[in-house]
Each structure stands twice: as C-alpha cells, then as structure tokens.
Amino acid sequence: MSEEQLVVRKIKEGTVLDHVEQGRALKVLEALNIDGKDGNVVTVAMNVFSKKLGKKDIIKIENRFLKPEETNRIALIAPKATANLIRNYQVVEKRKVEIPDKFVDVFKCPNPTCISNSNEPISHIIDVVKKDPPTLKCRYCGRLLSPNELI
Ligand SMILES: [Zn+2]
C-alpha cells in the first residue's frame, strides 16, 4: 500500500471529505460545527500528497453522513472538496460541494458596524449574489463581499 492509500484508508461508516485545499481542514471543521464533542472519531490529515492539488487536506468523520446542505457550507473554504459517504467500507455516494444560495452562520460580516456584529441574537446571513466568480452580500448591511474577505 502506498503512503497516500494508508492516509486515506477507508472508514467503516461516515463521511470522508477529500481534496480539501491545503491548510483549510480546521476551517472546514469549524464551518461544519464539528468539534468532536459528540464523541465520534474525527481524523484530520493535512498536507497529504495529491496528484490533482499537489497537497491537500483530508477529513474523516466517522458515523456521520453529511447532507448536501451541510457540505455546501464549505463551498467557499474548500471549493474542490468532494464528500464521500461510506457505508460498510464502501463509497455509496460521492458528490462535489456546491455554492448554496446563502451562508447562514458560516461567516461573519467583516463590517464592524453591521448589526449582525452587535450583541443582537441574530444569525449571520451572507447571500450569494453570483456563483461564478463567487460574489456575496451581507443580508443586513448590504456590503458586497468576496470570498477572501470572509475566509
Ligand atoms: Zn453586514
């Protein structure tokens, strides 16, 4: 078995996020609200050799099957990521992340005077105005945002 195969060794049940941009794994976990507190095994591999990306990060989340609306939360952080759903060691579904119509509580508006940054108990909602190239807009203050301002 090659080194790459060892690192990406299949899990029995759960979700493998592959082709995550190098260095973005922890941001991906944060966007997915995965902090390990539910007790499931989460394995993070960073800087793994990849033919496609040069280097990549891989995240294996055992016993959880992430839905498209969950994995799409990472579409700006890891646009080339693929989600592999594994059941009994077999890949039963493979899908690419897609940019959703809006991001709810994934990113904070960078405008310090925006009401979403006050102590009001409101969600951070960033609407997607255009998907290619990604153009975003804070629902509250209307500021136009590029992915780099959010990540
Ligand atoms: Zn705002």
Side-chain angles (χ1 to χ4, degrees):
M1 231 191 261
S2 74
E3 202 182 332
E4 184 177 6
Q5 284 171 317
L6 280 172
V7 174
V8 298
R9 187 174 55 84
K10 278 179 187 167
I11 57 174
K12 188 178 182 210
E13 306 276 338
T15 306
V16 175
L17 298 172
D18 197 3
H19 298 111
V20 172
E21 275 72 357
Q22 183 185 11
R24 294 274 173 89
L26 296 179
K27 281 189 164 51
V28 165
L29 287 173
E30 199 183 335
L32 294 171
N33 295 317
I34 292 173
D35 56 11
K37 286 191 180 139
D38 62 4
N40 288 319
V41 175
V42 177
T43 312
V44 176
M46 293 184 183
N47 304 324
V48 179
F49 172 76
S50 159
K51 277 182 195 145
K52 208 153 68 173
L53 297 178
K55 293 255 180 94
K56 66 179 178 182
D57 290 356
I58 299 168
I59 302 164
K60 295 185 280 186
I61 304 145
E62 299 194 29
N63 301 315
R64 267 193 70 180
F65 303 94
L66 296 179
K67 298 180 186 80
E69 56 266 36
E70 292 178 287
T71 49
N72 288 349
R73 292 168 68 86
I74 68 167
L76 291 184
I77 300 166
K80 294 191 179 77
T82 46
N84 300 292
L85 272 58
I86 317 280
R87 290 189 190 272
N88 200 21
Y89 298 105
Q90 302 294 316
V91 178
V92 293
E93 191 186 334
K94 205 180 184 83
R95 64 168 183 261
K96 291 192 181 317
V97 299
E98 285 173 35
I99 296 177
D101 296 328
K102 60 176 187 284
F103 290 95
V104 179
D105 289 329
V106 180
F107 304 109
K108 285 192 170 128
C109 176
N111 174 3
T113 61
C114 179
I115 187 158
S116 67
N117 289 322
S118 68
N119 289 325
E120 301 291 326
I122 49 174
S123 293
H124 295 269
I125 304 176
I126 308 284
D127 287 307
V128 176
V129 184
K130 201 154 65 102
K131 294 191 179 182
D132 190 23
T135 309
L136 307 108
K137 190 175 166 185
C138 173
R139 182 166 295 185
Y140 300 101
C141 69
R143 183 180 279 199
L144 283 174
L145 304 159
S146 71
N148 286 341
E149 290 174 279
L150 297 172
I151 296 165

